[in-house]
Amino acid sequence: MLRAMARDDLAVLYRLHEDVDTAVLTEVDPWVPETLEQRLSRYDDRSPDPANVRFTVVSLADGQVLGSCIVWGIDSFNRNAHLGISLLPQARGRGHGLDALRVMCDYAFRIRGLHRLGLETLATNTAMITTAEKAGFRREGVRRDHAWVMGSFVDELLFGLLAAEFS
Ligand SMILES: CC(C)(COP(=O)(O)OP(=O)(O)OC[C@H]1O[C@@H](n2cnc3c(N)ncnc32)[C@H](O)[C@@H]1OP(=O)(O)O)[C@@H](O)C(=O)NCCC(=O)NCCS
């Protein structure tokens, strides 16, 4: 289940940043150490940003925080945006990723009236590639050696989904 991100969620979500192996899969900028206090202070200082909508992924059973996801880069003129997601290690492989992706698509297409969603991931990220394809995303291209990841260049795959293709 997705809900609005609350300040209290950051204490759990901070683990995604502390886990460098996960952070390099999701963060475009180079990883730097950051304390939870620094993260909370950034959260408090940020201005409202209509182009990026953040959600917390929680367990329907008990409300436990499982991860976060985002509809980012919302372009209201061209009616497109991108999706991003990161789950805590113990929450992976149990269907939450696919569920969250579908809910974000529904939000983007039905509630926001967007026409196209993009999703970018490393060519080595089998879990994300499989989940994106299961959600109906089509592989549209590859940016060769686009990302520097843990000591080597890795291709980035580009996926896309149009509103008419989402069911
Ligand atoms: C990528 C991620 C969001 C996928 O979510 P998830 O909850 O683990 O995936 P799901 O359980 O919903 O699985 C969806 C499909 O992908 C498959 N899958 C999941 N993990 C897989 C893996 N490691 N290898 C191969 N297939 C995998 C599942 O089998 C399932 O297909 P099925 O229905 O045919 O069984 C999650 O693993 C994650 O947060 N990873 C770390 C952060 C990350 O890489 N984010 C994306 C950055 S672009």
Side-chain angles (χ1 to χ4, degrees):
M1 187 181 85
L2 303 190
R3 64 156 169 74
M5 186 176 285
R7 191 177 191 275
D8 283 353
D9 299 340
L10 296 191
V12 179
L13 298 175
Y14 176 66
R15 288 189 225 140
L16 293 168
H17 173 75
E18 275 188 310
D19 172 6
V20 185
D21 290 326
T22 295
V24 296
L25 295 174
T26 55
E27 293 176 14
V28 178
D29 297 323
W31 188 88
V32 289
E34 186 180 41
T35 63
L36 177 57
E37 288 66 33
Q38 287 169 325
R39 185 149 280 222
L40 287 167
S41 142
R42 270 204 300 126
Y43 179 87
D44 294 337
D45 291 346
R46 72 184 183 166
S47 328
D49 181 0
N52 298 309
V53 180
R54 290 169 198 280
F55 299 92
T56 295
V57 184
V58 295
S59 158
L60 199 53
D62 58 9
Q64 205 186 343
V65 173
L66 304 176
S68 71
C69 60
I70 182 167
V71 182
W72 64 272
I74 298 174
D75 176 340
S76 305
F77 176 64
N78 294 301
R79 290 171 58 192
N80 62 48
H82 301 258
L83 301 186
I85 180 165
S86 189
L87 300 179
L88 293 160
Q90 65 271 23
R92 295 177 199 161
R94 291 161 45 196
H96 296 299
L98 182 57
D99 184 49
L101 223 52
R102 287 192 170 133
V103 175
M104 280 195 289
C105 290
D106 187 59
Y107 170 77
F109 292 136
R110 198 158 59 91
I111 300 188
R112 302 298 299 256
L114 297 181
H115 175 66
R116 178 195 149 81
L117 288 172
L119 189 153
E120 296 77 30
T121 192
L122 298 176
T124 48
N125 194 341
T126 313
M128 188 68 255
I129 293 166
T130 312
T131 306
E133 287 176 338
K134 283 250 154 193
F137 280 77
R138 294 193 195 172
R139 203 180 287 220
E140 295 180 331
V142 53
R143 287 192 181 119
R144 293 174 305 143
D145 279 2
H146 181 74
W148 176 254
V149 184
M150 298 290 203
S152 55
F153 286 107
V154 179
D155 293 349
E156 181 182 71
L157 301 185
L158 311 178
F159 288 87
L161 179 68
L162 302 183
E165 296 162 351
F166 178 62
S167 52

